[in-house]
């Protein structure tokens, strides 16, 4: 492949972004983050954290409504043409279907050859844009030897599933740092976030598929406008767990940091995002994030875009972050539902414009874990109220 920016020269300066400085906020411990243990990584005092009131021009949220409960370590969520949703369970490898208006989740089947670990297993899922015709769902799966992206065929009566083909393999696996988010972009391609497999240098290695954003066709091909002749779209990522797109096609990703800063980035073809030399704003290499989060308040996972804001699920932070954005510019964020529902793994925008939130309290997390509430885990529906309404 063509030289990709994660093979950077030592000391290369990261790009600057005025919005990044304006959007520095409190953030993450939880999955894949460790407690700060140096003077440079001390988080801001609680009094310096942003309030839970969003900017006056930003969207607001209605009251959450529970759609289903009793899920076991759920991870991925995708909507079907009839408004129902499919949910992946990380440890069991099951895929379940939830009716459009909520109700009991029914198991479709189990994905074969899923190897669960501290953070691995059956992770992200996304339905084909032609699901009504091809019955295809794409999934990110942890195996014993590697992580892979597969195409699944769902039976017409939703009573079984089968692996149709492997679209992409060769993604290193480990006990942690799998990434795992897979989404369908407005360009019709699959965008996949991977982790560094607990080997930080993987993120800076151009030939590695780990610590990257990958972009492939729904048939597994490499798009002609990728920065090189491989699936790699961007590098220098530690552990990407959320990808979303704005109305102009701007691609955003959430990334779990190590000890000091989590990140929200705007994705650019061939760009390097600094890891392991730089973490958030701690360092001088790679692209600057548009927002960073310090320990305890985030551990960002799934991301959705709606009504001018990114809505970011927080694991260790146990809340929903709202980050108003306009292209590469970000305003001050606000926190919602702090501590109300525990860890939030996934956020998806439903066909009716609402947000569906997937909690993650039964996954046995070692960092930022919580005692499951009664009937955990669950899916919540929240109305997004546009500004001025």
């Amino acid at each position: 492949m063509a030289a990709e920016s994660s093979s950077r020269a030592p000391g290369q300066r990261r790009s600057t972004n005025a919005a990044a400085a304006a959007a520095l906020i409190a953030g993450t411990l939880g999955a894949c983050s460790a407690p700060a243990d140096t003077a440079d990584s001390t988080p801001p005092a609680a009094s310096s954290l942003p309030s839970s009131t969003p900017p006056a021009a930003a969207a607001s949220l209605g009251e959450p409504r529970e759609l289903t409960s009793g899920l076991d370590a759920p991870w991925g969520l995708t909507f079907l043409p009839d408004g129902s949703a499919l949910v992946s369970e990380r440890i069991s490898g099951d895929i379940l279907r939830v009716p459009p208006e909520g109700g009991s989740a029914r198991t479709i089947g189990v994905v074969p050859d899923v190897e669960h670990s501290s953070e691995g297993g059956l992770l992200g899922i996304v339905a084909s844009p032609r699901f009504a015709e091809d019955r295809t769902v794409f999934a990110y799966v942890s195996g014993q030897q590697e992580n892979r992206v597969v195409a699944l065929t769902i039976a017409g009566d939703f009573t079984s599933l089968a692996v149709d083909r492997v679209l992409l393999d060769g993604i290193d696996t480990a006990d942690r740092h799998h990434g795992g988010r897979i989404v369908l972009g407005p360009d019709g391609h699959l965008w996949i976030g991977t982790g560094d497999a607990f080997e930080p240098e993987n993120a800076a290695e151009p030939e590695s598929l780990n610590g990257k954003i990958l972009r492939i066709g729904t048939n597994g091909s490499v798009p002609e406008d990728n920065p090189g002749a491989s699936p790699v779209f961007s590098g220098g990522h530690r552990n990407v767990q959320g990808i979303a797109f704005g109305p102009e096609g701007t691609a955003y990703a959430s990334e779990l940091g190590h000890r000091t800063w989590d990140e929200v980035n705007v994705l650019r073809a061939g760009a390097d995002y600094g890891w392991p030399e730089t973490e958030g704003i701690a360092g001088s290499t790679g692209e600057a994030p548009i927002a960073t989060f310090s320990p305890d308040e985030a551990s960002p996972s799934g991301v959705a875009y709606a009504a001018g804001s990114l809505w970011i699920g927080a694991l260790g932070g146990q809340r929903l972050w709202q980050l108003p954005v306009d292209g590469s510019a970000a305003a001050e964020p606000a926190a919602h539902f702090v501590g109300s529902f525990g860890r939030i793994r996934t956020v998806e925008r439903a066909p009716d414009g609402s947000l569906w939130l997937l909690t993650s309290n039964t996954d046995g997390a070692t960092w930022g874990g919580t005692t499951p509430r009664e009937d955990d885990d669950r899916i919540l529906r929240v109305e997004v109220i546009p500004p001025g309404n």
Side-chain angles (χ1 to χ4, degrees):
M1 64 180 281
E4 188 251 321
S5 60
S6 61
S7 55
R8 55 188 175 269
Q12 178 182 332
R13 296 296 300 177
R14 67 195 290 117
S15 62
T16 59
N17 186 324
L24 298 182
I25 59 176
T28 177
L29 184 56
C32 298
S33 297
D37 61 0
T38 68
D40 291 339
S41 59
T42 302
S47 61
S48 70
L49 302 179
S51 72
S52 60
T53 303
S60 57
L61 295 176
E63 289 296 317
R65 177 169 70 89
E66 183 177 294
L67 295 176
T68 196
S69 62
L71 302 176
D72 184 12
W75 210 100
L77 175 70
T78 188
F79 291 97
L80 301 181
D82 65 358
S84 65
L86 302 183
V87 180
S88 62
E89 291 187 334
R90 180 177 68 83
I91 297 172
S92 70
D94 286 349
I95 291 182
L96 304 88
R97 184 178 180 223
V98 180
E101 297 303 317
S104 298
R106 296 186 178 275
T107 301
I108 296 173
V110 59
V111 178
D113 302 320
V114 171
E115 186 81 10
H116 81 266
S117 57
S118 291
E119 294 174 6
L122 177 59
L123 302 177
I125 56 173
V126 64
S128 162
R130 300 178 57 251
F131 180 85
E133 294 80 34
D134 62 24
R135 308 296 297 182
T136 297
V137 171
F138 305 102
Y140 187 106
V141 178
S142 299
Q144 189 171 20
Q145 301 298 324
E146 60 185 3
N147 294 331
R148 61 195 184 278
V149 176
V150 302
L152 307 171
T153 300
I154 307 295
D157 60 0
F158 293 101
T159 60
S160 64
L161 59 82
V163 175
D164 179 63
R165 61 197 185 279
V166 176
L167 297 185
L168 180 66
D169 54 16
I171 304 168
D172 288 349
T173 191
D175 188 53
R176 295 192 280 163
H177 294 197
H178 296 264
R181 194 66 59 184
I182 179 170
V183 304
L184 188 71
D187 55 9
H189 296 315
L190 296 172
W191 294 61
I192 303 146
T194 70
D196 64 11
F198 228 53
E199 295 289 343
E201 291 305 322
N202 282 338
E205 171 51 56
E207 302 304 318
S208 173
L209 298 181
N210 291 83
K212 305 293 192 299
I213 296 289
L214 308 178
R215 179 172 175 259
I216 60 174
T218 54
N219 61 359
S221 63
V222 175
E224 292 184 358
D225 57 348
N226 266 18
S230 90
V232 174
F233 184 82
S234 62
H237 301 284
R238 183 173 182 267
N239 195 8
V240 175
Q241 291 203 359
I243 305 173
F245 297 88
E248 303 302 320
T250 304
Y252 301 96
S254 65
E255 181 171 338
L256 289 154
H258 180 41
R259 298 181 184 278
T260 313
W261 299 110
D262 292 332
E263 306 178 10
V264 175
N265 290 297
V266 170
L267 301 176
R268 298 182 176 86
D272 163 54
Y273 290 85
W275 180 256
E277 294 180 36
T278 294
E279 176 189 351
I281 56 171
S284 60
T285 60
E287 294 280 324
I290 64 168
T292 56
F293 301 75
S294 59
D296 292 330
E297 304 297 322
S299 276
S301 189
V303 179
Y305 176 92
S309 290
L310 294 178
W311 306 88
I312 307 166
L315 295 169
Q318 300 188 22
R319 65 198 67 192
L320 178 70
W321 279 109
Q322 177 183 4
L323 181 67
V325 292
D326 183 4
S328 296
E332 184 177 351
H336 302 270
F337 315 134
V338 178
S340 298
F341 306 109
R343 293 155 53 87
I344 298 177
R345 169 70 66 186
T346 292
V347 185
E348 293 287 347
R349 186 174 183 269
D352 65 4
S354 65
L355 298 177
W356 284 30
L357 314 181
L358 188 61
T359 68
S360 186
N361 298 317
T362 60
D363 64 355
T366 55
W367 290 112
T370 185
T371 301
R373 291 130 167 91
E374 185 177 359
D375 295 329
D376 268 342
D377 273 312
R378 64 198 72 222
I379 297 176
L380 305 164
R381 180 185 180 275
V382 186
E383 288 279 359
V384 180
I385 304 168
N389 285 21

